[in-house]
mmCIF file of all heavy atoms in Angstrom:
data_model
loop_
_atom_site.group_PDB
_atom_site.id
_atom_site.type_symbol
_atom_site.label_atom_id
_atom_site.label_comp_id
_atom_site.label_asym_id
_atom_site.label_seq_id
_atom_site.Cartn_x
_atom_site.Cartn_y
_atom_site.Cartn_z
ATOM 1 N N TYR A 17 36.885 108.416 73.940
ATOM 2 C CA TYR A 17 36.348 108.171 75.284
ATOM 3 C C TYR A 17 36.080 109.553 75.877
ATOM 4 O O TYR A 17 36.914 110.459 75.745
ATOM 5 C CB TYR A 17 37.365 107.449 76.175
ATOM 6 C CG TYR A 17 37.952 106.201 75.593
ATOM 7 C CD1 TYR A 17 39.341 106.069 75.457
ATOM 8 C CD2 TYR A 17 37.141 105.144 75.182
ATOM 9 C CE1 TYR A 17 39.900 104.912 74.931
ATOM 10 C CE2 TYR A 17 37.696 104.000 74.646
ATOM 11 C CZ TYR A 17 39.076 103.887 74.518
ATOM 12 O OH TYR A 17 39.625 102.764 73.992
ATOM 13 N N CYS A 20 38.817 111.018 78.312
ATOM 14 C CA CYS A 20 40.229 111.044 77.859
ATOM 15 C C CYS A 20 40.697 112.448 77.470
ATOM 16 O O CYS A 20 40.142 113.066 76.557
ATOM 17 C CB CYS A 20 40.346 110.088 76.669
ATOM 18 S SG CYS A 20 41.822 110.288 75.666
ATOM 19 N N PHE A 22 43.345 113.373 75.883
ATOM 20 C CA PHE A 22 43.845 113.418 74.496
ATOM 21 C C PHE A 22 42.670 113.570 73.523
ATOM 22 O O PHE A 22 42.796 114.212 72.484
ATOM 23 C CB PHE A 22 44.628 112.154 74.156
ATOM 24 C CG PHE A 22 45.852 111.972 75.006
ATOM 25 C CD1 PHE A 22 45.850 111.076 76.077
ATOM 26 C CD2 PHE A 22 47.003 112.692 74.756
ATOM 27 C CE1 PHE A 22 46.960 110.912 76.873
ATOM 28 C CE2 PHE A 22 48.132 112.533 75.552
ATOM 29 C CZ PHE A 22 48.114 111.644 76.615
ATOM 30 N N ASN A 44 35.307 101.134 76.674
ATOM 31 C CA ASN A 44 36.731 101.093 76.970
ATOM 32 C C ASN A 44 37.372 99.727 76.714
ATOM 33 O O ASN A 44 38.579 99.631 76.481
ATOM 34 C CB ASN A 44 36.975 101.538 78.417
ATOM 35 C CG ASN A 44 38.384 102.058 78.600
ATOM 36 O OD1 ASN A 44 39.260 101.363 79.107
ATOM 37 N ND2 ASN A 44 38.634 103.273 78.136
ATOM 38 N N LYS A 57 45.082 99.698 69.922
ATOM 39 C CA LYS A 57 43.936 100.089 70.738
ATOM 40 C C LYS A 57 44.245 101.451 71.347
ATOM 41 O O LYS A 57 44.806 101.547 72.441
ATOM 42 C CB LYS A 57 43.735 99.030 71.834
ATOM 43 C CG LYS A 57 42.347 99.051 72.448
ATOM 44 C CD LYS A 57 42.336 99.702 73.781
ATOM 45 C CE LYS A 57 40.980 99.684 74.425
ATOM 46 N NZ LYS A 57 40.876 100.636 75.524
ATOM 47 N N MET A 58 43.945 102.488 70.590
ATOM 48 C CA MET A 58 44.212 103.833 71.085
ATOM 49 C C MET A 58 43.238 104.831 70.456
ATOM 50 O O MET A 58 43.004 104.805 69.256
ATOM 51 C CB MET A 58 45.649 104.241 70.748
ATOM 52 C CG MET A 58 46.112 105.470 71.492
ATOM 53 S SD MET A 58 47.859 105.802 71.225
ATOM 54 C CE MET A 58 47.846 106.249 69.500
ATOM 55 N N LEU A 59 42.682 105.704 71.281
ATOM 56 C CA LEU A 59 41.830 106.786 70.818
ATOM 57 C C LEU A 59 42.505 108.101 71.226
ATOM 58 O O LEU A 59 43.307 108.091 72.138
ATOM 59 C CB LEU A 59 40.432 106.688 71.452
ATOM 60 C CG LEU A 59 39.607 105.451 71.092
ATOM 61 C CD1 LEU A 59 38.192 105.589 71.643
ATOM 62 C CD2 LEU A 59 39.573 105.186 69.597
ATOM 63 N N PRO A 60 42.206 109.216 70.570
ATOM 64 C CA PRO A 60 41.181 109.443 69.552
ATOM 65 C C PRO A 60 41.583 108.938 68.165
ATOM 66 O O PRO A 60 42.765 108.839 67.840
ATOM 67 C CB PRO A 60 41.069 110.976 69.524
ATOM 68 C CG PRO A 60 42.466 111.442 69.831
ATOM 69 C CD PRO A 60 42.968 110.467 70.853
ATOM 70 N N GLU A 71 46.494 109.865 66.644
ATOM 71 C CA GLU A 71 47.340 110.887 67.282
ATOM 72 C C GLU A 71 46.601 112.222 67.373
ATOM 73 O O GLU A 71 46.390 112.921 66.372
ATOM 74 C CB GLU A 71 48.687 111.076 66.557
ATOM 75 C CG GLU A 71 49.694 109.979 66.862
ATOM 76 C CD GLU A 71 50.000 109.854 68.365
ATOM 77 O OE1 GLU A 71 50.048 110.885 69.068
ATOM 78 O OE2 GLU A 71 50.175 108.720 68.833
ATOM 79 N N SER A 72 46.283 112.599 68.597
ATOM 80 C CA SER A 72 45.448 113.781 68.811
ATOM 81 C C SER A 72 45.995 115.044 68.144
ATOM 82 O O SER A 72 45.246 115.782 67.500
ATOM 83 C CB SER A 72 45.253 114.016 70.317
ATOM 84 O OG SER A 72 46.491 114.136 70.971
ATOM 85 N N TYR A 132 37.777 96.625 82.933
ATOM 86 C CA TYR A 132 38.935 96.627 82.026
ATOM 87 C C TYR A 132 39.820 97.841 82.322
ATOM 88 O O TYR A 132 41.043 97.737 82.464
ATOM 89 C CB TYR A 132 38.408 96.664 80.591
ATOM 90 C CG TYR A 132 39.440 96.787 79.495
ATOM 91 C CD1 TYR A 132 39.874 95.665 78.781
ATOM 92 C CD2 TYR A 132 39.951 98.028 79.124
ATOM 93 C CE1 TYR A 132 40.803 95.781 77.753
ATOM 94 C CE2 TYR A 132 40.877 98.154 78.102
ATOM 95 C CZ TYR A 132 41.295 97.039 77.421
ATOM 96 O OH TYR A 132 42.215 97.173 76.402
ATOM 97 N N LYS A 136 43.642 97.894 84.161
ATOM 98 C CA LYS A 136 44.793 98.456 83.446
ATOM 99 C C LYS A 136 45.426 99.616 84.213
ATOM 100 O O LYS A 136 46.640 99.711 84.340
ATOM 101 C CB LYS A 136 44.321 98.994 82.094
ATOM 102 C CG LYS A 136 44.707 98.112 80.923
ATOM 103 C CD LYS A 136 44.190 98.708 79.637
ATOM 104 C CE LYS A 136 45.257 98.916 78.616
ATOM 105 N NZ LYS A 136 44.691 99.133 77.267
HETATM 106 N N1 GSH B 312 49.709 110.051 71.822
HETATM 107 C C1 GSH B 312 48.309 109.692 71.783
HETATM 108 C C2 GSH B 312 47.880 109.226 73.167
HETATM 109 C C3 GSH B 312 46.435 108.808 73.206
HETATM 110 C C4 GSH B 312 46.124 107.945 74.420
HETATM 111 O O1 GSH B 312 46.988 107.680 75.280
HETATM 112 N N2 GSH B 312 44.869 107.483 74.493
HETATM 113 C C5 GSH B 312 44.461 106.621 75.565
HETATM 114 C C6 GSH B 312 43.143 107.058 76.160
HETATM 115 S S1 GSH B 312 43.364 108.451 77.241
HETATM 116 C C7 GSH B 312 44.226 105.234 75.033
HETATM 117 O O2 GSH B 312 43.526 105.047 74.058
HETATM 118 N N3 GSH B 312 44.826 104.231 75.718
HETATM 119 C C8 GSH B 312 44.593 102.843 75.437
HETATM 120 C C9 GSH B 312 43.553 102.282 76.363
HETATM 121 O O3 GSH B 312 42.767 103.033 76.948
HETATM 122 O O4 GSH B 312 43.489 101.058 76.495
HETATM 123 C C10 GSH B 312 47.495 110.891 71.306
HETATM 124 O O5 GSH B 312 47.876 112.026 71.645
HETATM 125 O O6 GSH B 312 46.507 110.686 70.604
#
Side-chain angles (χ1 to χ4, degrees):
Y17 308 123
C20 164
F22 298 102
N44 204 259
K57 199 257 182 197
M58 193 173 68
L59 296 187
E71 283 302 324
S72 56
Y132 175 99
K136 255 179 125 164

